[in-house]
Amino acid sequence: MKKPSYVTRFLCLALALAWNQGAQASTVFWGSNFNDNLFDSSGNALDATYSFEIGAFTGGFTPTYQNVDQWQANWQVVDRAYDPDANGWNSTDQFFVGTVDFNTGGGSDSPDANPADVFTMGDTVYLWAFNSKNIVPSSEWALVTDGSPVGDLADDWIVPDPLDTGSSFNWQLTDANSSIIGGANGVQGPGTYSTTPGVFSLQTAVVPEPGSAFLLLAAAAAHLTRRTRRPTRMSLL
């Protein structure tokens, strides 16, 4: 009689732990405006080949224009929007939208997230727009975030407290004000563009090949150094 009772208690405990791990902590609504201004580096409206992911990078990794080749290996997806409209990306009406729940274990319930990924409270959340994550000549990316809470219309883009159950957060493109590559809300960040739209909420840029970004920055620095040294030499004559 004792053995069945022990097994029953054990199963109940296991079920309770499993339920608690997957219990909803908070809900996030994210996306852009309807009929938004979303462009590629040439000023063309983003098409159905593009996807939009919100996520965070693994602890200790900071994305820069110089380490684009390491982004994918350190990226953790919270949620994803892509064509067709049922998956959150409507290229005809130019808007993307998503809803995702965090659980009390710090994970995301999105089918596009890795169930093993655990997000750290307070970490920065980014929006990554891309037509391919492969770094090839045709690839275009934008990686933007809400780098400053000043002037925000919605919530800060940070991973919420997993124990903050029942709360909801709003992460909207209109608040993006920091670009690692590409541009957001009228300001172009690092990247190569062939045009600058008069008004834009998001613009992707051509992805630099590994090492090329460093060489471009080094060349620019050398050029500036030569320009600053030239008047000094002339002043000695």
Side-chain angles (χ1 to χ4, degrees), residues 9 34 46 92 142 148 183 216 225 235:
R9 288 198 301 271
F34 182 77
L46 299 187
T92 301
S148 170
L216 286 172
T225 300
S235 64

Side-chain angles (χ1 to χ4, degrees), residues 210-235:
S212 64
F214 175 79
L215 293 175
L216 286 172
L217 289 175
H223 177 68
L224 289 174
T225 300
R226 287 195 298 271
R227 291 191 63 181
T228 55
R229 286 178 177 175
R230 187 174 301 156
T232 302
R233 291 197 300 268
M234 294 178 63
S235 64

Side-chain angles (χ1 to χ4, degrees), residues 56-62 67 69-76 128:
F57 290 93
T58 53
F61 182 81
T62 301
N67 61 16
D69 56 316
Q70 301 174 43
W71 290 4
Q72 188 170 356
N74 290 280
W75 179 246
Q76 294 180 322
W128 189 357

Side-chain angles (χ1 to χ4, degrees), residues 92-103:
T92 301
D93 293 320
Q94 290 289 283
F95 73 92
F96 58 89
V97 64
T99 303
V100 63
D101 291 329
F102 281 95
N103 59 50

Side-chain angles (χ1 to χ4, degrees), residues 37-44 46 140-144 179 181-185 187-189 192-197 200-205:
N37 299 296
L38 314 172
F39 301 107
D40 65 13
S41 64
S42 300
N44 302 308
L46 299 187
E140 298 214 3
W141 295 355
L143 184 73
V144 302
S179 302
I181 187 172
N185 295 311
V187 180
Q188 287 179 334
T192 301
Y193 312 87
S194 56
T195 189
T196 301
F200 65 89
S201 299
L202 188 73
Q203 184 179 20
T204 59

Side-chain angles (χ1 to χ4, degrees), residues 12-176:
C12 289
L13 176 60
L15 288 172
L17 290 173
W19 179 87
N20 186 64
Q21 180 70 17
Q24 177 184 329
S26 53
T27 301
V28 172
F29 304 95
W30 63 281
S32 68
N33 291 327
F34 182 77
N35 282 336
D36 216 338
N37 299 296
L38 314 172
F39 301 107
D40 65 13
S41 64
S42 300
N44 302 308
L46 299 187
D47 59 30
T49 64
Y50 280 83
S51 296
F52 306 84
E53 290 181 352
I54 54 170
F57 290 93
T58 53
F61 182 81
T62 301
T64 68
Y65 188 66
Q66 291 74 43
N67 61 16
V68 292
D69 56 316
Q70 301 174 43
W71 290 4
Q72 188 170 356
N74 290 280
W75 179 246
Q76 294 180 322
V77 177
V78 172
D79 197 19
R80 179 180 178 221
Y82 56 97
D83 185 79
D85 186 27
N87 296 315
W89 166 224
N90 187 316
S91 58
T92 301
D93 293 320
Q94 290 289 283
F95 73 92
F96 58 89
V97 64
T99 303
V100 63
D101 291 329
F102 281 95
N103 59 50
T104 53
S108 165
D109 77 342
S110 171
D112 298 296
N114 184 340
D117 287 344
V118 176
F119 299 90
T120 302
M121 182 182 70
D123 275 2
T124 300
V125 173
Y126 295 85
L127 169 68
W128 189 357
F130 56 88
N131 58 359
S132 172
K133 284 187 177 178
N134 296 321
I135 301 180
V136 295
S138 59
S139 295
E140 298 214 3
W141 295 355
L143 184 73
V144 302
T145 187
D146 177 12
S148 170
V150 178
D152 281 6
L153 299 176
D155 298 295
D156 298 340
W157 295 15
I158 57 175
V159 177
D161 183 348
L163 300 181
D164 187 8
T165 57
S167 296
S168 62
F169 301 91
N170 208 349
W171 298 339
Q172 295 300 312
L173 178 59
T174 52
D175 283 336

